[in-house]
Amino acid sequence: MTTLFGTPDIAIGMKESVSRVRLFDGPLDLSWRHCATTSDFIADLFALRFRSSRNDYMEVRHSIGYLVNELIENAVKFRAPGEILIEASMDSECFKLKVSNDVDGEDASEFQSLLADITVGDPIDLLIQRIEANAANPDVASSGLGLLTLMSDYGARLAWIFSAADESDRISVETYASIPISQIHN
């Protein structure tokens, strides 16, 4: 069974020229430092076309880097053992990203519950509500702040597809994201 959350139209169209990076589980174990290193690499690679303007380059690099880092961190944090596949592409209008990994069934259910909450309504209002809830009760960590920040501050459009993985206790998660590039450098 396949379940979709978010904006369905961005969960298609990743067939064009795509750059791929695989993060493998191994002796070094996947950790937070891999997220930052990988996101910096991808941001640098895709921002190169804007190097003629330092401001455009820095803005595009920052936006791409923040998006990629947030989605890779989520994949590392909630993954079942195994690899993470990152696919990225960019045209004159937007940067697109797909992050694929497996999660166990319990994590998938919790994540789907979170997505059901943060994908309905205005992202700015939802972000403010989550920040206020965190301030009122700092002992309870409220997930979704990074995703809501991407949607409200960066204009990110997000989608998730959950489907059965090869192993019975695992769920495959494909996270799709798109951020406008044409607005950044104009």
Side-chain angles (χ1 to χ4, degrees), residues 31-130:
S31 67
W32 298 113
R33 73 178 179 280
H34 296 106
C35 301
T37 302
T38 304
S39 62
D40 285 347
F41 170 75
I42 292 170
D44 283 337
L45 178 68
F46 282 93
L48 278 176
R49 71 170 66 172
F50 301 99
R51 67 184 175 269
S52 62
S53 166
R54 178 159 172 72
N55 288 341
D56 287 352
Y57 172 81
M58 295 304 290
E59 186 69 25
V60 169
R61 185 188 180 287
H62 169 76
S63 295
I64 291 172
Y66 185 81
L67 172 76
V68 173
N69 191 65
E70 184 65 33
L71 297 185
I72 295 174
E73 280 184 356
N74 282 346
V76 167
K77 184 176 178 181
F78 299 109
R79 74 183 170 82
E83 71 179 39
I84 296 170
L85 176 63
I86 301 132
E87 298 175 88
S89 68
M90 186 165 67
D91 58 28
S92 62
E93 298 296 314
C94 66
F95 172 80
K96 294 179 184 177
L97 182 71
K98 176 183 173 187
V99 178
S100 305
N101 63 290
D102 287 354
V103 298
D104 67 36
E106 185 177 324
D107 285 339
S109 294
E110 289 176 22
F111 193 32
Q112 288 175 352
S113 178
L114 170 70
L115 295 176
D117 290 341
I118 69 169
T119 57
V120 294
D122 180 72
I124 295 171
D125 293 339
L126 292 168
L127 179 61
I128 292 168
Q129 290 170 12
R130 292 273 173 162

Side-chain angles (χ1 to χ4, degrees), residues 120-185:
V120 294
D122 180 72
I124 295 171
D125 293 339
L126 292 168
L127 179 61
I128 292 168
Q129 290 170 12
R130 292 273 173 162
I131 291 170
E132 289 173 347
N134 279 357
N137 192 354
D139 295 333
V140 177
S142 181
S143 297
L145 290 176
L147 298 173
L148 288 167
T149 299
L150 284 169
M151 291 186 281
S152 65
D153 296 355
Y154 293 83
R157 297 172 62 223
L158 302 169
W160 295 265
I161 296 177
F162 293 81
S163 55
D166 294 338
E167 297 180 36
S168 62
D169 61 334
R170 289 187 176 194
I171 304 294
S172 292
V173 179
E174 294 176 339
T175 302
Y176 293 84
S178 172
I179 56 171
I181 294 298
S182 57
Q183 296 172 2
I184 294 172
H185 68 91

